[in-house]
Structure formats: structure tokens, C-alpha cells
Amino acid sequence: MSFVDLGLCDVLSKTAENLGYSSPTQVQRKSIPVVLKGEDLVVISETGSGKTGAFAWPILQLMSASQVVLPKNIRSLVITPTRELAAQVTKSFQVYGCDLNLNITGVYGGMRIEPQIAKLRDGVDVLVATPGRLLDLYRQQAVNFQQLETLVLDEADRMLELGFIDDIRKIQKHLPKKYQTLMFSATFSKEITSLATGLLNQPNVIEVNKVNSTVSNIKQLIHPVDKNNKAKLLSHLLNKHQWRQVIVFISTKHGADLLVQKLETSGVNVASIHANRSQHARVQVLGDFINGKLSVLVATDIASRGIDISQLPCVINFDLPFVAEDYVHRIGRTGRAGASGMAITLFSEEESKQLLSIENFIGQKLQRELVSGFAPSKKKPKISQKESDNDLYGNFEAHSKPFKGRNNKTSNRNRRK
């Protein structure tokens, strides 16, 4: 089945082909015709399934076929829970709609509001926004919802987790009586059902894959190791496999920065992204990683749903997350759109409860594999929180040759703010 078969126009279908999308994903095949009909829709789909295209392609077609936007008005609104996701979705719309004469922009916190107000002055066909910044713009009378045709709530489950639903309901009060609503979520909980009931009108419901399952084309491995040897093992794996790019997930902001410092000593082209970094720095680091200028990105869970990189070969859990769902979202950064991927977890004895919770959630026991020279000691280590934070899992030593990745010529020290 092709994009043309789904009802997309020749211009968009040709763009999809030029971007390397040979055929629609399952969620796109089911969603695009419904969106084109103008009907409300709830989609439950795991990360990496192509959901952005499922609403972006048909919205672009609808926007290109109808009226001109008025000053300060928006015709299609996409609300996302995080700045990173807003930036990523905005970029996707701009790339997909590159051959259409549409005004597409994103607004979110961490950036100056004045340039965003200026972008809205002449009206916008597609606006991607975070809830807080959107409300700020509305209160300053910089945006008008009179012409709104389509509302998208992207990653609605994440918005519930982050407490944005009150903001969503405040926004809803200012919307016109009639518009199309699309809701996308990785989970189908009672809270999501309740939210959908209040926001949508007799929606179609599409569920693609079980939300607590992991993608079959992602190879998942657990490497048992003492906590104080995790950094050494990570360096060893990077040197051994020479992956083109890797995302390393870690639990704390402080730990992310320390790990970057330790990896830099062995010549790794690496940077971190977390909430303590400025929005400008986060956007720059993400851009450098997406463009291949960085080989390793160390991230807290702020980035687990905001990065979309085709054919990312590997994701490494330096720490296991405390919420089982976050494990699925983390490893979903690899193995996207049918590509193969690898997810490696550096597991220490202190994380036994987290691992059990994850295995129960995904319904499978993950494969354990000892790495020669890094087998954990038989005695359970006693590490205080203070020791853990300050030491970052032991003294670090580079193993064998430096990890080069795609580009190791430029030190990240000059790039970090």
C-alpha cells in the first residue's frame, strides 16, 4: 500500500518518497484516511510506530486545500508535553510540507516569547506548542483560535503524567465549538479514556500493538555489573562496537554531567541533555546529535520521547528507570520504522526491583549476558547515596582505543555552554 492509496495528494506522496518513506507504517495506514475524513480519532500506539506522520501528512493536505489564515489565527494546533517533542514535531511538519505554501511554526518555553509573538502576527497554518507557552501567548492576545480546524494532543499520557491537563482544559474553553480532535497516546488507561470522553466527539479508536510490549526488532540485553564498574563497562562497549551513534540514558542530571566528563577523557564525542541545561543548549545538542556531529548523547528521561532519529543503532540504559513504561519509551528510540536496533542495560544488584517491574510490564524475561572482565562481585555492594552521587560508579579508565563514532575530530568541550 502506498501513500497515494491512503488518499494523500501527489505532492505529499512524492515528498514522502523523496524522504525515503517507501510505504506507510501500520498506524499511518489506519489513521490517515480517518483524519482526511475530518473525524475525531484516538490512537494508542507505541513509540517509534510513525505516529507523527499519521497526523502530520493528512493535516498538511487538509491545510493546503482550504482557506487562507487570518492574522494571529491558527488553523491546526498540535499540543505536546515537552519542548524537545515540540521542536521535533515542528521540524517534521516543515520537512513533510516543504513543497506546500504553508506557515508552520513551533512555540515553547525556554525561548524568548517576543520572536514567537512576531511569528504569529500574520497567522499560522500549523502551530506546534507546549501548553504553558500557548496559554502565555493567548493571555498576551498574540494568538486567536477562531479559525481552528484541527487539534492534536500528542503523547496525551505524558501530559497527564506531567500535570498539564488543567492547562489543556483552560485552552479548550477558548476553542470554537466545532473542530476535529486527534489524540495520540502510548497507553490506554482509565485517565486517557476519561480525557477522550471530555474532549472528543464519537472518536474512532485505533490501537496498534500492545502498549506494554517492546518492538520485536530490538535486541534487548542485560549486562550484570557492579555499580562502580558501570562507566568502565560503558567505555568498553563503545570501543568494542563502534556504533555510529548511541543514546545513553541515566537517572540524574548530576550523573549525566559527570558521565560526560568521564567519557570525554577517553576521546568520546559526547554531550548531555537534561532539565538544568538552557533551552538553547538543549536545542543545539539535539541538533548536533541528529545531524551526526555527536556520537554519544547522555540523557535523562526528558529526552526519551523527544528524539526521532532514523536507524539509531543502539540505546544504553546506564541506569534503569523507576517507572517501567519509561523503559519502553527509552528503547523505542532505536528500532524505529521497521529498522533493527539494540537496547543494552547495565544492571547492578541495587536495581533488582526495577528490573523485575520492567519484565513484568513487558511480559518477558530479558536476556542476561556477562561481559568478560566485568562480572559482578558475589557480595552485594553497600553504597550510600552520597557516595553514589559523588563517585559516579567508580574511578574511570579508558579501555583500548578511543570511541570514534561518526565524527570524533571536534571536542565537545568547546560546544557545551
Side-chain angles (χ1 to χ4, degrees):
M1 179 178 288
S2 67
F3 285 99
V4 173
D5 295 330
L6 297 177
L8 286 187
C9 63
D10 290 340
V11 173
L12 290 174
S13 298
K14 184 66 175 178
T15 301
E17 181 181 337
N18 292 338
L19 291 172
Y21 297 100
S22 57
S23 62
T25 65
Q26 184 181 6
V27 69
Q28 291 166 358
R29 291 196 300 270
K30 292 184 176 182
S31 301
I32 289 175
V34 176
V35 180
L36 289 174
K37 289 179 183 178
E39 299 175 356
D40 283 8
L41 176 65
V42 175
V43 176
I44 311 301
S45 179
E46 64 188 12
T47 184
S49 60
K51 65 176 178 61
T52 302
F55 61 78
W57 293 112
I59 285 175
L60 287 168
Q61 178 156 317
L62 293 172
M63 295 300 100
S64 66
S66 55
Q67 59 185 327
V68 176
V69 64
L70 299 173
K72 294 187 180 181
N73 271 266
I74 56 176
R75 297 173 56 214
S76 186
L77 173 62
V78 182
I79 301 179
T80 71
T82 67
R83 301 167 184 177
E84 284 71 29
L85 185 57
Q88 182 65 46
V89 172
T90 301
K91 181 179 178 181
S92 294
F93 266 99
Q94 291 170 340
V95 171
Y96 297 166
C98 61
D99 292 323
L100 303 175
N101 186 26
L102 294 174
N103 189 350
I104 300 165
T105 193
V107 294
Y108 38 85
M111 309 291 281
R112 291 179 58 236
I113 198 170
E114 291 80 10
Q116 297 177 353
I117 291 175
K119 289 180 180 179
L120 292 168
R121 193 164 293 142
D122 294 330
V124 173
D125 293 293
V126 179
L127 179 68
V128 184
T130 51
R133 179 50 58 95
L134 183 62
L135 280 173
D136 287 343
L137 289 164
Y138 182 80
R139 289 166 184 147
Q140 296 190 38
Q141 299 183 341
V143 63
N144 191 308
F145 301 116
Q146 182 181 358
Q147 276 190 285
L148 186 71
E149 300 173 34
T150 305
L151 169 67
V152 180
L153 299 178
D154 194 11
E155 300 203 350
D157 52 335
R158 185 66 170 160
M159 282 193 266
L160 280 168
E161 292 172 10
L162 296 175
F164 290 141
I165 297 307
D166 286 343
D167 287 344
I168 299 297
R169 297 196 186 281
K170 290 176 183 177
I171 293 167
Q172 184 190 21
K173 292 179 181 178
H174 304 296
L175 303 183
K177 291 184 178 180
K178 188 176 180 181
Y179 56 90
Q180 179 185 27
T181 303
L182 314 174
M183 180 185 292
F184 288 76
S185 175
T187 61
F188 205 177
S189 62
K190 292 181 180 179
E191 291 78 11
I192 289 295
T193 303
S194 175
L195 182 63
T197 301
L199 294 177
L200 286 80
N201 179 31
Q202 297 181 332
N204 298 268
V205 178
I206 295 173
E207 187 169 2
V208 179
N209 297 327
K210 294 181 179 180
V211 298
N212 62 338
S213 64
T214 51
V215 182
S216 59
N217 54 318
I218 299 177
K219 182 179 181 180
Q220 300 173 69
L221 286 177
I222 301 291
H223 290 327
V225 61
D226 287 335
K227 188 171 186 177
N228 59 3
N229 276 332
K230 280 191 175 186
K232 292 181 182 179
L233 176 54
L234 174 61
S235 178
H236 170 78
L237 294 172
L238 294 176
N239 292 325
K240 176 182 177 181
H241 294 283
Q242 293 291 306
W243 291 294
R244 176 175 54 87
Q245 284 184 301
V246 182
I247 298 179
V248 179
F249 283 106
I250 194 166
S251 296
T252 68
K253 296 171 286 188
H254 178 61
D257 288 337
L258 285 176
L259 184 57
V260 165
Q261 293 173 18
K262 291 178 181 292
L263 290 175
E264 283 181 329
T265 63
S266 64
V268 178
N269 193 13
V270 59
S272 65
I273 177 172
H274 53 69
N276 277 3
R277 302 204 66 181
S278 69
Q279 183 62 23
H280 175 77
R282 285 153 63 178
V283 170
Q284 182 175 341
V285 167
L286 274 176
D288 287 346
F289 187 69
I290 291 171
N291 294 329
K293 294 179 181 179
L294 283 173
S295 301
V296 179
L297 179 65
V298 178
T300 56
D301 283 305
I302 191 171
S304 65
R305 301 196 192 190
I307 302 176
D308 186 2
I309 301 171
S310 61
Q311 299 182 343
L312 179 70
C314 184
V315 166
I316 297 177
N317 290 299
F318 193 86
D319 299 319
L320 276 173
F322 288 96
V323 179
E325 290 93 330
D326 287 341
Y327 173 82
V328 177
H329 293 303
R330 285 182 179 188
I331 72 170
R333 298 306 98 198
T334 186
R336 298 176 75 83
S340 60
M342 174 171 284
I344 293 173
T345 295
L346 310 185
F347 166 71
S348 64
E349 186 68 25
E350 296 88 349
E351 300 170 301
S352 295
K353 289 184 179 179
Q354 291 147 264
L355 180 57
L356 179 61
S357 175
I358 289 168
E359 290 180 328
N360 287 337
F361 181 74
I362 65 176
Q364 66 180 100
K365 187 175 178 64
L366 298 175
Q367 179 183 344
R368 275 70 165 169
E369 185 178 278
L370 291 174
V371 179
S372 179
F374 292 94
S377 59
K378 295 182 179 180
K379 293 183 179 180
K380 293 184 179 180
K382 295 182 179 180
I383 301 177
S384 69
Q385 184 62 44
K386 182 177 180 181
E387 290 172 332
S388 167
D389 290 343
N390 291 334
D391 184 57
L392 189 65
Y393 322 119
N395 296 321
F396 181 82
E397 296 177 359
H399 285 257
S400 65
K401 60 182 179 180
F403 172 63
K404 295 180 180 179
R406 181 185 290 177
N407 182 352
N408 194 41
K409 295 181 180 180
T410 304
S411 171
N412 186 59
R413 289 188 179 91
N414 297 325
R415 182 180 293 108
R416 292 189 300 148
K417 299 291 183 181

